mmCIF file of all heavy atoms in Angstrom:
data_model
loop_
_atom_site.group_PDB
_atom_site.id
_atom_site.type_symbol
_atom_site.label_atom_id
_atom_site.label_comp_id
_atom_site.label_asym_id
_atom_site.label_seq_id
_atom_site.Cartn_x
_atom_site.Cartn_y
_atom_site.Cartn_z
ATOM 1 N N VAL A 10 -11.318 -20.976 12.297
ATOM 2 C CA VAL A 10 -11.416 -20.102 11.209
ATOM 3 C C VAL A 10 -11.634 -18.734 11.680
ATOM 4 O O VAL A 10 -12.157 -18.472 12.713
ATOM 5 C CB VAL A 10 -12.606 -20.637 10.312
ATOM 6 C CG1 VAL A 10 -13.881 -20.535 10.943
ATOM 7 C CG2 VAL A 10 -12.663 -19.858 8.924
ATOM 8 N N VAL A 11 -11.340 -17.708 10.945
ATOM 9 C CA VAL A 11 -11.390 -16.413 11.209
ATOM 10 C C VAL A 11 -12.224 -15.597 10.170
ATOM 11 O O VAL A 11 -11.977 -15.738 8.907
ATOM 12 C CB VAL A 11 -10.018 -15.635 11.390
ATOM 13 C CG1 VAL A 11 -10.219 -14.100 11.555
ATOM 14 C CG2 VAL A 11 -9.331 -16.289 12.441
ATOM 15 N N VAL A 12 -13.195 -14.856 10.601
ATOM 16 C CA VAL A 12 -13.885 -13.932 9.734
ATOM 17 C C VAL A 12 -13.410 -12.571 9.972
ATOM 18 O O VAL A 12 -13.543 -12.070 11.124
ATOM 19 C CB VAL A 12 -15.441 -13.988 9.913
ATOM 20 C CG1 VAL A 12 -16.089 -12.961 8.999
ATOM 21 C CG2 VAL A 12 -16.006 -15.367 9.770
ATOM 22 N N LEU A 13 -12.893 -11.864 9.008
ATOM 23 C CA LEU A 13 -12.042 -10.690 9.268
ATOM 24 C C LEU A 13 -12.409 -9.535 8.325
ATOM 25 O O LEU A 13 -12.339 -9.666 7.060
ATOM 26 C CB LEU A 13 -10.510 -11.029 9.026
ATOM 27 C CG LEU A 13 -9.493 -9.881 9.206
ATOM 28 C CD1 LEU A 13 -9.544 -9.249 10.554
ATOM 29 C CD2 LEU A 13 -8.127 -10.398 8.848
ATOM 30 N N ASP A 14 -12.857 -8.475 8.953
ATOM 31 C CA ASP A 14 -13.236 -7.158 8.008
ATOM 32 C C ASP A 14 -11.826 -6.485 7.751
ATOM 33 O O ASP A 14 -10.956 -6.463 8.412
ATOM 34 C CB ASP A 14 -14.105 -6.321 8.977
ATOM 35 C CG ASP A 14 -14.648 -5.142 8.177
ATOM 36 O OD1 ASP A 14 -14.759 -5.324 6.827
ATOM 37 O OD2 ASP A 14 -15.037 -4.026 8.717
ATOM 38 N N VAL A 15 -11.929 -5.904 6.584
ATOM 39 C CA VAL A 15 -10.724 -5.256 6.062
ATOM 40 C C VAL A 15 -10.539 -3.800 6.876
ATOM 41 O O VAL A 15 -9.430 -3.532 7.299
ATOM 42 C CB VAL A 15 -10.841 -4.928 4.553
ATOM 43 C CG1 VAL A 15 -9.563 -4.034 4.170
ATOM 44 C CG2 VAL A 15 -10.662 -6.299 3.779
ATOM 45 N N MET A 16 -11.568 -3.016 6.896
ATOM 46 C CA MET A 16 -11.579 -1.795 7.609
ATOM 47 C C MET A 16 -11.795 -1.803 9.070
ATOM 48 O O MET A 16 -12.996 -2.098 9.452
ATOM 49 C CB MET A 16 -12.602 -0.841 6.919
ATOM 50 C CG MET A 16 -12.391 -0.672 5.438
ATOM 51 S SD MET A 16 -10.701 -0.056 4.950
ATOM 52 C CE MET A 16 -10.783 1.621 5.607
ATOM 53 N N LEU A 17 -10.749 -1.655 9.870
ATOM 54 C CA LEU A 17 -10.805 -1.769 11.331
ATOM 55 C C LEU A 17 -10.095 -0.641 11.928
ATOM 56 O O LEU A 17 -9.091 -0.094 11.402
ATOM 57 C CB LEU A 17 -10.213 -3.072 11.775
ATOM 58 C CG LEU A 17 -10.874 -4.370 11.341
ATOM 59 C CD1 LEU A 17 -9.895 -5.585 11.685
ATOM 60 C CD2 LEU A 17 -12.237 -4.593 12.127
ATOM 61 N N PRO A 18 -10.557 -0.145 13.085
ATOM 62 C CA PRO A 18 -9.716 0.742 13.922
ATOM 63 C C PRO A 18 -8.597 0.094 14.494
ATOM 64 O O PRO A 18 -8.488 -1.174 14.685
ATOM 65 C CB PRO A 18 -10.752 1.163 15.037
ATOM 66 C CG PRO A 18 -11.732 0.183 15.082
ATOM 67 C CD PRO A 18 -11.854 -0.549 13.746
ATOM 68 N N GLY A 19 -7.588 0.915 14.891
ATOM 69 C CA GLY A 19 -6.284 0.344 15.553
ATOM 70 C C GLY A 19 -5.436 0.089 14.376
ATOM 71 O O GLY A 19 -4.418 0.846 14.198
ATOM 72 N N PHE A 20 -5.588 -1.003 13.676
ATOM 73 C CA PHE A 20 -4.870 -1.210 12.404
ATOM 74 C C PHE A 20 -5.784 -2.144 11.547
ATOM 75 O O PHE A 20 -6.661 -2.838 12.094
ATOM 76 C CB PHE A 20 -3.477 -1.795 12.541
ATOM 77 C CG PHE A 20 -3.271 -2.941 13.485
ATOM 78 C CD1 PHE A 20 -3.720 -4.131 13.177
ATOM 79 C CD2 PHE A 20 -2.599 -2.684 14.760
ATOM 80 C CE1 PHE A 20 -3.533 -5.252 14.002
ATOM 81 C CE2 PHE A 20 -2.493 -3.681 15.569
ATOM 82 C CZ PHE A 20 -2.942 -5.024 15.326
ATOM 83 N N ASP A 21 -5.592 -2.043 10.277
ATOM 84 C CA ASP A 21 -6.593 -2.697 9.471
ATOM 85 C C ASP A 21 -6.568 -4.224 9.336
ATOM 86 O O ASP A 21 -5.569 -4.835 9.889
ATOM 87 C CB ASP A 21 -6.575 -2.040 7.937
ATOM 88 C CG ASP A 21 -5.213 -2.447 7.209
ATOM 89 O OD1 ASP A 21 -4.582 -3.299 7.618
ATOM 90 O OD2 ASP A 21 -4.955 -1.764 6.302
ATOM 91 N N GLY A 22 -7.453 -4.792 8.672
ATOM 92 C CA GLY A 22 -7.627 -6.254 8.603
ATOM 93 C C GLY A 22 -6.476 -6.931 7.875
ATOM 94 O O GLY A 22 -6.052 -8.083 8.122
ATOM 95 N N LEU A 23 -5.801 -6.196 6.940
ATOM 96 C CA LEU A 23 -4.637 -6.732 6.238
ATOM 97 C C LEU A 23 -3.567 -7.004 7.313
ATOM 98 O O LEU A 23 -2.812 -7.979 7.162
ATOM 99 C CB LEU A 23 -4.134 -5.758 5.142
ATOM 100 C CG LEU A 23 -5.173 -5.548 3.978
ATOM 101 C CD1 LEU A 23 -4.698 -4.592 3.054
ATOM 102 C CD2 LEU A 23 -5.646 -6.855 3.313
ATOM 103 N N GLU A 24 -3.334 -5.985 8.106
ATOM 104 C CA GLU A 24 -2.226 -6.095 9.123
ATOM 105 C C GLU A 24 -2.625 -7.290 10.171
ATOM 106 O O GLU A 24 -1.806 -8.017 10.607
ATOM 107 C CB GLU A 24 -2.009 -4.825 9.794
ATOM 108 C CG GLU A 24 -0.984 -4.747 10.873
ATOM 109 C CD GLU A 24 0.412 -5.187 10.360
ATOM 110 O OE1 GLU A 24 0.667 -4.948 9.066
ATOM 111 O OE2 GLU A 24 1.375 -5.711 11.163
ATOM 112 N N VAL A 25 -3.891 -7.322 10.513
ATOM 113 C CA VAL A 25 -4.300 -8.429 11.473
ATOM 114 C C VAL A 25 -4.000 -9.758 10.711
ATOM 115 O O VAL A 25 -3.457 -10.622 11.413
ATOM 116 C CB VAL A 25 -5.836 -8.357 11.661
ATOM 117 C CG1 VAL A 25 -6.294 -9.584 12.402
ATOM 118 C CG2 VAL A 25 -6.220 -7.108 12.443
ATOM 119 N N CYS A 26 -4.378 -9.834 9.498
ATOM 120 C CA CYS A 26 -4.097 -11.134 8.792
ATOM 121 C C CYS A 26 -2.539 -11.426 8.730
ATOM 122 O O CYS A 26 -2.157 -12.561 8.992
ATOM 123 C CB CYS A 26 -4.566 -11.066 7.287
ATOM 124 S SG CYS A 26 -4.701 -12.644 6.458
ATOM 125 N N ARG A 27 -1.714 -10.421 8.442
ATOM 126 C CA ARG A 27 -0.282 -10.726 8.434
ATOM 127 C C ARG A 27 0.208 -11.270 9.819
ATOM 128 O O ARG A 27 0.926 -12.111 9.922
ATOM 129 C CB ARG A 27 0.459 -9.415 8.069
ATOM 130 C CG ARG A 27 0.384 -8.878 6.666
ATOM 131 C CD ARG A 27 1.322 -7.726 6.483
ATOM 132 N NE ARG A 27 0.970 -7.059 5.202
ATOM 133 C CZ ARG A 27 0.342 -5.960 4.971
ATOM 134 N NH1 ARG A 27 -0.269 -5.412 6.060
ATOM 135 N NH2 ARG A 27 0.195 -5.511 3.826
ATOM 136 N N ARG A 28 -0.329 -10.623 10.839
ATOM 137 C CA ARG A 28 0.180 -10.918 12.183
ATOM 138 C C ARG A 28 -0.242 -12.288 12.616
ATOM 139 O O ARG A 28 0.489 -13.092 13.135
ATOM 140 C CB ARG A 28 -0.232 -9.855 13.214
ATOM 141 C CG ARG A 28 0.313 -8.467 12.947
ATOM 142 C CD ARG A 28 0.198 -7.570 14.142
ATOM 143 N NE ARG A 28 0.675 -6.172 13.787
ATOM 144 C CZ ARG A 28 0.939 -5.289 14.679
ATOM 145 N NH1 ARG A 28 0.628 -5.507 16.003
ATOM 146 N NH2 ARG A 28 1.264 -4.136 14.314
ATOM 147 N N ILE A 29 -1.551 -12.663 12.417
ATOM 148 C CA ILE A 29 -2.017 -13.967 12.819
ATOM 149 C C ILE A 29 -1.417 -15.042 11.953
ATOM 150 O O ILE A 29 -1.130 -16.218 12.549
ATOM 151 C CB ILE A 29 -3.573 -13.990 12.873
ATOM 152 C CG1 ILE A 29 -4.200 -13.795 11.473
ATOM 153 C CG2 ILE A 29 -4.057 -12.913 13.850
ATOM 154 C CD1 ILE A 29 -5.666 -13.958 11.500
ATOM 155 N N GLN A 30 -1.215 -14.827 10.725
ATOM 156 C CA GLN A 30 -0.656 -15.846 9.791
ATOM 157 C C GLN A 30 0.816 -16.150 10.177
ATOM 158 O O GLN A 30 1.318 -17.100 10.034
ATOM 159 C CB GLN A 30 -0.775 -15.505 8.421
ATOM 160 C CG GLN A 30 -2.214 -15.376 7.875
ATOM 161 C CD GLN A 30 -3.042 -16.709 7.875
ATOM 162 O OE1 GLN A 30 -2.480 -17.645 8.568
ATOM 163 N NE2 GLN A 30 -4.084 -16.841 7.113
ATOM 164 N N HIS A 31 1.540 -15.062 10.651
ATOM 165 C CA HIS A 31 2.876 -15.185 11.018
ATOM 166 C C HIS A 31 3.015 -16.023 12.317
ATOM 167 O O HIS A 31 3.879 -16.804 12.499
ATOM 168 C CB HIS A 31 3.472 -13.767 11.375
ATOM 169 C CG HIS A 31 4.846 -13.799 11.830
ATOM 170 N ND1 HIS A 31 5.318 -13.939 13.122
ATOM 171 C CD2 HIS A 31 6.091 -13.882 11.009
ATOM 172 C CE1 HIS A 31 6.640 -13.923 13.173
ATOM 173 N NE2 HIS A 31 7.092 -13.907 11.994
ATOM 174 N N ASP A 32 2.041 -16.000 13.164
ATOM 175 C CA ASP A 32 2.080 -16.713 14.416
ATOM 176 C C ASP A 32 1.677 -18.287 14.163
ATOM 177 O O ASP A 32 2.520 -19.064 14.567
ATOM 178 C CB ASP A 32 1.008 -16.147 15.437
ATOM 179 C CG ASP A 32 1.439 -14.784 16.015
ATOM 180 O OD1 ASP A 32 2.690 -14.443 15.826
ATOM 181 O OD2 ASP A 32 0.568 -14.069 16.543
ATOM 182 N N GLU A 33 0.634 -18.516 13.522
ATOM 183 C CA GLU A 33 0.172 -19.828 13.204
ATOM 184 C C GLU A 33 -0.728 -19.745 12.092
ATOM 185 O O GLU A 33 -1.870 -18.952 12.160
ATOM 186 C CB GLU A 33 -0.456 -20.396 14.441
ATOM 187 C CG GLU A 33 -0.923 -21.805 14.331
ATOM 188 C CD GLU A 33 -1.575 -22.340 15.573
ATOM 189 O OE1 GLU A 33 -1.616 -21.615 16.732
ATOM 190 O OE2 GLU A 33 -1.984 -23.474 15.590
ATOM 191 N N PRO A 34 -0.636 -20.497 10.998
ATOM 192 C CA PRO A 34 -1.522 -20.386 9.870
ATOM 193 C C PRO A 34 -3.006 -20.790 10.299
ATOM 194 O O PRO A 34 -3.185 -21.718 11.037
ATOM 195 C CB PRO A 34 -0.946 -21.412 8.870
ATOM 196 C CG PRO A 34 0.511 -21.443 9.266
ATOM 197 C CD PRO A 34 0.586 -21.294 10.683
ATOM 198 N N VAL A 35 -3.962 -19.906 9.868
ATOM 199 C CA VAL A 35 -5.265 -20.228 10.183
ATOM 200 C C VAL A 35 -6.163 -19.794 8.979
ATOM 201 O O VAL A 35 -5.858 -18.790 8.385
ATOM 202 C CB VAL A 35 -5.776 -19.429 11.478
ATOM 203 C CG1 VAL A 35 -5.476 -17.971 11.286
ATOM 204 C CG2 VAL A 35 -7.172 -19.764 11.903
ATOM 205 N N PRO A 36 -7.175 -20.496 8.663
ATOM 206 C CA PRO A 36 -8.109 -20.096 7.525
ATOM 207 C C PRO A 36 -8.662 -18.813 7.860
ATOM 208 O O PRO A 36 -9.218 -18.465 8.861
ATOM 209 C CB PRO A 36 -9.054 -21.249 7.412
ATOM 210 C CG PRO A 36 -8.480 -22.467 8.122
ATOM 211 C CD PRO A 36 -7.551 -21.826 9.199
ATOM 212 N N VAL A 37 -8.646 -17.828 6.805
ATOM 213 C CA VAL A 37 -9.274 -16.501 7.010
ATOM 214 C C VAL A 37 -10.120 -16.229 5.762
ATOM 215 O O VAL A 37 -9.808 -16.301 4.668
ATOM 216 C CB VAL A 37 -8.203 -15.438 7.058
ATOM 217 C CG1 VAL A 37 -8.768 -14.020 7.048
ATOM 218 C CG2 VAL A 37 -7.350 -15.603 8.306
ATOM 219 N N LEU A 38 -11.396 -15.767 6.080
ATOM 220 C CA LEU A 38 -12.296 -15.199 5.235
ATOM 221 C C LEU A 38 -12.367 -13.754 5.421
ATOM 222 O O LEU A 38 -12.864 -13.331 6.545
ATOM 223 C CB LEU A 38 -13.743 -15.786 5.207
ATOM 224 C CG LEU A 38 -14.793 -15.487 4.158
ATOM 225 C CD1 LEU A 38 -15.557 -16.650 3.913
ATOM 226 C CD2 LEU A 38 -15.514 -14.298 4.532
ATOM 227 N N MET A 39 -12.047 -12.861 4.496
ATOM 228 C CA MET A 39 -12.062 -11.541 4.628
ATOM 229 C C MET A 39 -13.295 -10.838 4.154
ATOM 230 O O MET A 39 -13.950 -11.324 3.078
ATOM 231 C CB MET A 39 -10.961 -10.872 3.921
ATOM 232 C CG MET A 39 -9.524 -11.230 4.490
ATOM 233 S SD MET A 39 -8.153 -10.245 4.094
ATOM 234 C CE MET A 39 -8.449 -8.884 5.289
ATOM 235 N N LEU A 40 -13.812 -9.801 4.791
ATOM 236 C CA LEU A 40 -14.966 -9.028 4.420
ATOM 237 C C LEU A 40 -14.521 -7.640 3.997
ATOM 238 O O LEU A 40 -13.630 -7.148 4.624
ATOM 239 C CB LEU A 40 -15.987 -8.838 5.565
ATOM 240 C CG LEU A 40 -16.436 -10.211 6.199
ATOM 241 C CD1 LEU A 40 -17.360 -9.776 7.419
ATOM 242 C CD2 LEU A 40 -17.184 -11.067 5.238
ATOM 243 N N THR A 41 -14.954 -7.254 2.830
ATOM 244 C CA THR A 41 -14.591 -5.936 2.328
ATOM 245 C C THR A 41 -15.886 -5.114 1.876
ATOM 246 O O THR A 41 -16.769 -5.782 1.323
ATOM 247 C CB THR A 41 -13.652 -6.088 1.109
ATOM 248 O OG1 THR A 41 -13.419 -4.651 0.589
ATOM 249 C CG2 THR A 41 -14.151 -6.877 0.010
ATOM 250 N N ALA A 42 -15.953 -3.930 2.086
ATOM 251 C CA ALA A 42 -17.023 -3.088 1.712
ATOM 252 C C ALA A 42 -16.884 -2.575 0.275
ATOM 253 O O ALA A 42 -17.781 -2.106 -0.354
ATOM 254 C CB ALA A 42 -17.073 -1.875 2.575
ATOM 255 N N ARG A 43 -15.712 -2.825 -0.376
ATOM 256 C CA ARG A 43 -15.475 -2.479 -1.708
ATOM 257 C C ARG A 43 -15.302 -3.629 -2.686
ATOM 258 O O ARG A 43 -14.443 -4.426 -2.338
ATOM 259 C CB ARG A 43 -14.224 -1.471 -1.804
ATOM 260 C CG ARG A 43 -14.502 -0.196 -1.086
ATOM 261 C CD ARG A 43 -13.280 0.759 -1.199
ATOM 262 N NE ARG A 43 -12.154 0.204 -0.499
ATOM 263 C CZ ARG A 43 -10.852 0.850 -0.445
ATOM 264 N NH1 ARG A 43 -10.739 1.831 -1.138
ATOM 265 N NH2 ARG A 43 -9.863 0.205 0.158
ATOM 266 N N ASP A 44 -15.905 -3.638 -3.789
ATOM 267 C CA ASP A 44 -15.709 -4.604 -4.758
ATOM 268 C C ASP A 44 -14.632 -4.316 -5.680
ATOM 269 O O ASP A 44 -14.633 -4.077 -6.843
ATOM 270 C CB ASP A 44 -17.046 -4.794 -5.589
ATOM 271 C CG ASP A 44 -17.000 -6.095 -6.447
ATOM 272 O OD1 ASP A 44 -16.013 -6.940 -6.199
ATOM 273 O OD2 ASP A 44 -17.804 -6.190 -7.353
ATOM 274 N N ASP A 45 -13.368 -4.169 -5.028
ATOM 275 C CA ASP A 45 -12.163 -3.701 -5.761
ATOM 276 C C ASP A 45 -11.195 -4.902 -5.750
ATOM 277 O O ASP A 45 -10.752 -5.461 -4.784
ATOM 278 C CB ASP A 45 -11.573 -2.543 -4.960
ATOM 279 C CG ASP A 45 -10.413 -1.951 -5.680
ATOM 280 O OD1 ASP A 45 -9.543 -2.689 -6.158
ATOM 281 O OD2 ASP A 45 -10.315 -0.707 -5.689
ATOM 282 N N GLU A 46 -10.852 -5.292 -7.102
ATOM 283 C CA GLU A 46 -10.064 -6.509 -7.176
ATOM 284 C C GLU A 46 -8.648 -6.287 -6.595
ATOM 285 O O GLU A 46 -8.034 -7.250 -6.088
ATOM 286 C CB GLU A 46 -9.866 -6.876 -8.695
ATOM 287 C CG GLU A 46 -9.305 -8.137 -8.912
ATOM 288 C CD GLU A 46 -9.426 -8.655 -10.329
ATOM 289 O OE1 GLU A 46 -9.312 -7.862 -11.201
ATOM 290 O OE2 GLU A 46 -9.827 -9.880 -10.501
ATOM 291 N N THR A 47 -8.185 -5.023 -6.665
ATOM 292 C CA THR A 47 -6.766 -4.849 -6.038
ATOM 293 C C THR A 47 -6.854 -5.146 -4.543
ATOM 294 O O THR A 47 -5.891 -5.781 -4.017
ATOM 295 C CB THR A 47 -6.401 -3.295 -6.266
ATOM 296 O OG1 THR A 47 -6.275 -3.053 -7.637
ATOM 297 C CG2 THR A 47 -5.060 -3.095 -5.604
ATOM 298 N N ASP A 48 -7.938 -4.656 -3.858
ATOM 299 C CA ASP A 48 -8.054 -4.997 -2.408
ATOM 300 C C ASP A 48 -8.021 -6.475 -2.239
ATOM 301 O O ASP A 48 -7.514 -7.064 -1.287
ATOM 302 C CB ASP A 48 -9.309 -4.304 -1.864
ATOM 303 C CG ASP A 48 -9.133 -2.811 -1.695
ATOM 304 O OD1 ASP A 48 -8.041 -2.290 -1.784
ATOM 305 O OD2 ASP A 48 -10.224 -2.129 -1.528
ATOM 306 N N MET A 49 -8.824 -7.209 -3.115
ATOM 307 C CA MET A 49 -9.025 -8.702 -2.944
ATOM 308 C C MET A 49 -7.615 -9.348 -3.094
ATOM 309 O O MET A 49 -7.188 -10.229 -2.383
ATOM 310 C CB MET A 49 -9.963 -9.189 -3.966
ATOM 311 C CG MET A 49 -11.422 -8.551 -3.855
ATOM 312 S SD MET A 49 -12.492 -9.089 -5.235
ATOM 313 C CE MET A 49 -13.901 -8.112 -4.875
ATOM 314 N N LEU A 50 -6.843 -8.858 -4.105
ATOM 315 C CA LEU A 50 -5.495 -9.495 -4.376
ATOM 316 C C LEU A 50 -4.588 -9.144 -3.177
ATOM 317 O O LEU A 50 -3.860 -10.020 -2.777
ATOM 318 C CB LEU A 50 -4.991 -9.007 -5.675
ATOM 319 C CG LEU A 50 -5.525 -9.503 -6.971
ATOM 320 C CD1 LEU A 50 -5.044 -8.844 -8.150
ATOM 321 C CD2 LEU A 50 -5.368 -11.010 -7.066
ATOM 322 N N VAL A 51 -4.629 -7.992 -2.610
ATOM 323 C CA VAL A 51 -3.842 -7.711 -1.516
ATOM 324 C C VAL A 51 -4.211 -8.603 -0.333
ATOM 325 O O VAL A 51 -3.294 -9.206 0.416
ATOM 326 C CB VAL A 51 -3.884 -6.175 -1.077
ATOM 327 C CG1 VAL A 51 -3.188 -5.974 0.267
ATOM 328 C CG2 VAL A 51 -3.295 -5.318 -2.224
#
């Protein structure tokens, strides 16, 4: 399992999630500093 923050240097957690899921599906729990439903849906 992966615990993944959304706001990261280098590239953000959304891009991290895209890349790791492309390689091999793995359960991901994302952490976000904003209670924004759009961010959650993305």
